[in-house]
Amino acid sequence: MTKTITMIEDLRILAKARVPRMFYDYMESGSYTEGTFRANTDDFARIKLRQRVAVDMTNRTLASTMVGLPVSMPVAIAPTGLTGMQHADGEILAARAAAKAGIPFTLSTMSICSIEDVAKNMDRPFWFQLYVMRDRDFINRLIDRAKAAECSALVLTLDLQILGQRHKDIKNGLSAPPKPTVANMINLMTKPRWCLGMLGTRRRYFGNIVGHVTGVMDMRSLSSWIADQFDPRLSWDDVKRIRDRWGGKLILKGILDPEDARRAAETGAEALIVSNHGGRQLDGALSSIVSLPSIVSAVGDKIEVLMDGGIRSGQDVIKALAYGAHGVFIGRSFLYGLGAMGEQGVTLALDIIRKELDTTMALCGLRDVRDVDRTIIARTPEPFN
Ligand SMILES: Cc1cc2nc3c(=O)[nH]c(=O)nc-3n(C[C@H](O)[C@H](O)[C@H](O)COP(=O)(O)O)c2cc1C
């Protein structure tokens, strides 16, 4: 099986066959017209690289750092909600694959496996992503729980205080676990591997939330829960307060505008992530890769600039680095692997990206990923622009 999987797209096709429609659609959708979701990948495809020859390609290295921590390549796993619904125990499996690959794993607030559960099943620290909710006591407790679990960075997401609509989630009646409707039952009958996995685990609810928020024992409708709980008043002062309570490395996620990037740099956070939430929030926003250069020129010397959105290959990674990203996060690329084949699929996705990055770097005439810069980008002659 693994021999026929040679690129991330192969994993997507297999995930589509194996994951219940409701959760595959949740992953593969963007908000509204999905214009920004598509732009994230389309804009990468438009960038061309300079081919260089007759340069020594031996002794190549992809090793780098992200927020000062060593990584085997400058790629981290992005926080994604409901990962344990793409595959049973999904967060633990993906965290293990990331640890084996020597890259960071970020656990979402909206994960199925809880912070404590992932920590118990890992021998390496991971990163925790925080959403800010109205219940500040709950947020404080979440931060303290991440500290107690020895998470090595906090990723504070700033671009989802109100939810961009994804049509398919409404039409499918997205919930975790799925409701026993006739349509769901018929679909689940075609996904025996997934069902077997789910029957074998007790991790089927939002592990960080259910039982930890007063009055919330069941949160079947994700969108209405977010509308009720997420705090639309989130401000830069809150960011500073969270930074102080956390006290460790802080990464601000969801920056798409140079002015916001300047504000982010003033907070004293270690890094920001240029991101439009994988095209799931402001439909019509610029793609992440198009937004990146102006943010790097605005704050690149004051704060580490990371990015995510649309990365489906090692070629995409090198293009992001060329435009000034210090490192990148992958969302769907690892989720395809997870939905297709569990931990092995995430490992495969990371191997694919690593090999593509290595080969592409060599063909661009470089041996050290830290040397990648704008000079590897080819200028398209006038008539072909
Ligand atoms: C299914 C799914 C769930 C997500 N859930 C979260 C989340 O809980 N917290 C968060 O900060 N970002 C979340 N994101 C956004 C990702 O962290 C990341 O920004 C995005 O996936 C990057 O785009 P890519 O999927 O094209 O790589 C989610 C993305 C997807 C696809």
Side-chain angles (χ1 to χ4, degrees):
M1 165 66 81
T2 54
K3 274 200 194 132
T4 57
I5 295 176
T6 59
M7 55 182 176
I8 296 294
E9 175 64 6
D10 295 331
L11 291 167
R12 186 192 66 75
I13 292 166
L14 194 53
K16 188 170 186 186
R18 293 188 169 169
V19 175
R21 191 177 52 223
M22 161 186 307
F23 299 118
Y24 177 82
D25 283 352
Y26 164 70
M27 164 182 67
E28 195 54 10
S29 298
S31 57
Y32 302 103
T33 71
E34 304 194 326
T36 297
F37 170 49
R38 283 190 300 277
N40 275 349
T41 44
D42 292 352
D43 287 345
F44 266 118
R46 286 169 37 213
I47 300 169
K48 301 289 181 277
L49 299 168
R50 277 173 74 200
Q51 169 177 299
R52 306 301 306 275
V53 296
V55 286
D56 184 358
M57 298 180 179
T58 56
N59 298 324
R60 293 186 302 280
T61 177
L62 299 179
S64 186
T65 58
M66 287 174 84
V67 292
L69 304 170
V71 290
S72 69
M73 62 175 165
V75 176
I77 300 247
T80 55
L82 280 90
T83 302
M85 283 290 139
Q86 303 295 339
H87 190 286
D89 307 333
E91 289 89 0
I92 293 172
L93 302 186
R96 280 196 191 135
K100 281 184 197 150
I103 65 156
F105 169 81
T106 317
L107 183 74
S108 165
T109 292
M110 305 304 289
S111 59
I112 300 295
C113 305
S114 69
I115 307 177
E116 293 78 10
D117 203 5
V118 176
K120 205 167 56 199
N121 283 282
M122 293 278 299
D123 51 11
R124 293 242 199 113
F126 55 96
W127 296 355
F128 182 67
Q129 175 266 326
L130 183 72
Y131 278 130
V132 180
M133 306 188 189
R134 292 174 199 267
D135 182 346
R136 295 305 162 99
D137 284 344
F138 171 62
I139 293 308
N140 288 341
R141 284 201 304 278
L142 259 186
I143 295 172
D144 295 347
R145 287 167 65 193
K147 267 199 226 175
E150 296 180 8
C151 292
S152 46
L154 186 75
V155 176
L156 175 59
T157 299
L158 299 172
D159 63 358
L160 197 140
Q161 293 317 112
I162 180 169
L163 192 67
Q165 177 169 308
R166 292 182 299 268
H167 300 306
K168 286 185 204 144
D169 288 354
I170 297 176
K171 292 180 168 118
N172 289 334
L174 176 72
S175 65
K179 292 186 192 89
T181 61
V182 176
N184 284 343
M185 288 299 143
I186 291 172
N187 187 244
L188 287 180
M189 275 159 60
T190 65
K191 316 287 176 189
R193 289 170 67 107
W194 184 94
C195 292
L196 222 60
M198 282 299 160
L199 286 173
T201 186
R202 60 189 158 76
R203 303 177 180 106
R204 294 187 211 128
Y205 300 89
F206 291 93
N208 292 326
I209 291 160
V210 173
H212 293 275
V213 182
T214 337
V216 177
M217 294 315 290
D218 179 19
M219 35 179 302
R220 291 194 152 209
S221 166
L222 183 63
S223 51
S224 58
W225 193 83
I226 287 177
D228 289 347
Q229 300 290 331
F230 282 40
D231 191 348
R233 296 161 307 178
L234 175 69
S235 71
W236 289 106
D237 286 338
D238 294 320
V239 173
K240 287 185 189 141
R241 241 179 304 117
I242 288 166
R243 180 202 62 193
D244 291 344
R245 184 164 189 112
W246 167 247
K249 290 179 191 287
L250 179 67
I251 304 172
L252 301 180
K253 178 169 186 282
I255 306 293
L256 212 59
D257 191 277
E259 236 160 78
D260 287 340
R262 283 188 204 99
R263 299 293 298 268
E266 284 164 13
T267 64
E270 267 72 21
L272 62 82
I273 310 177
V274 176
S275 174
N276 50 36
H277 218 100
R280 296 162 79 83
Q281 285 295 95
L282 177 62
D283 186 33
L286 289 179
S287 68
S288 300
I289 188 65
V290 165
S291 307
L292 176 66
S294 61
I295 292 180
V296 171
S297 22
V299 297
D301 53 345
K302 297 189 186 74
I303 184 168
E304 187 167 302
V305 178
L306 307 169
M307 74 84 71
D308 73 22
I311 291 183
R312 304 288 183 270
S313 68
Q315 294 88 309
D316 295 339
V317 176
I318 209 166
K319 288 172 182 176
L321 300 179
Y323 279 106
H326 189 79
V328 303
F329 287 71
I330 52 169
R332 294 178 182 88
S333 287
F334 99 84
L335 289 173
Y336 299 153
L338 182 69
M341 303 164 72
E343 179 177 337
Q344 191 193 5
V346 180
T347 297
L348 203 52
L350 296 177
D351 281 350
I352 288 169
I353 287 179
R354 187 190 303 279
K355 283 190 194 126
E356 290 170 342
L357 174 58
D358 180 51
T359 304
T360 308
M361 180 176 78
L363 292 173
C364 287
L366 293 176
R367 296 195 291 184
D368 188 330
V369 81
R370 288 164 300 184
D371 293 337
V372 172
D373 62 16
R374 195 75 77 93
T375 59
I376 70 162
I377 301 294
R379 285 243 201 102
T380 319
E382 256 318 315
F384 304 103
N385 268 334

